[in-house]
Amino acid sequence: QVQLVESGGGWVQPGGSLRLSCEASGFLFSGYAMFWYRQPPGKERELVAGISSGGGLTDYADSVKGRFTVSRDNARNTLYLQMKSLKPEDTAMYYCGKGQRPTIVYYGINFGDKGTLVTVSS
């Protein structure tokens, strides 16, 4: 079955950087678009970024454009999210998700179970 294990979260001061990773197994990683979502405390889950199966196309929420970069290593079955210039409003549990197609389509996404917590504060 699909398994997605997120890691790399932690505490960071405003303006700092973190890189999240998502190790995938149980499916042909290179065949599907992948996504990062986040859920801030007390709020609903929201899109952060998406990347096509080959990595050639990406999409970002307006709130993270220019600060976050999504990438993938299909040889390692791993998805990444490089986060820079972090702000307190980036504080959230971050989840990776598997799409249903090679292209970026926002439905039917399978999410990891646990996520990784990012806390941005001074």
Side-chain angles (χ1 to χ4, degrees):
Q1 71 276 23
V2 172
Q3 289 195 329
L4 302 168
V5 180
E6 302 92 343
S7 63
W11 173 82
V12 63
Q13 291 185 333
S17 299
L18 280 175
R19 188 175 82 153
L20 307 183
S21 298
C22 172
E23 295 185 13
S25 61
F27 65 100
L28 181 63
F29 182 75
S30 61
Y32 296 91
M34 295 294 294
F35 301 88
W36 284 102
Y37 277 70
R38 67 187 181 186
Q39 187 165 14
K43 298 183 179 181
E44 294 187 354
R45 187 153 46 191
E46 61 187 26
L47 169 72
V48 175
I51 185 167
S52 60
S53 60
L57 293 175
T58 56
D59 188 38
Y60 296 92
D62 288 343
S63 59
V64 306
K65 280 181 181 176
R67 300 188 299 120
F68 290 12
T69 302
V70 60
S71 62
R72 63 192 296 162
D73 184 341
N74 285 347
R76 297 179 182 271
N77 289 355
T78 303
L79 176 72
Y80 301 101
L81 185 68
Q82 178 68 53
M83 306 185 294
K84 299 180 180 179
S85 302
L86 282 160
K87 305 174 181 180
E89 51 264 43
D90 295 317
T91 294
M93 189 70 79
Y94 283 72
Y95 299 89
C96 69
K98 168 191 169 293
Q100 293 298 317
R101 298 183 176 185
T103 52
I104 299 173
V105 180
Y106 297 108
Y107 72 87
I109 296 171
N110 297 107
F111 292 103
D113 290 333
K114 295 185 177 180
T116 187
L117 180 63
V118 173
T119 303
V120 185
S121 73
S122 53

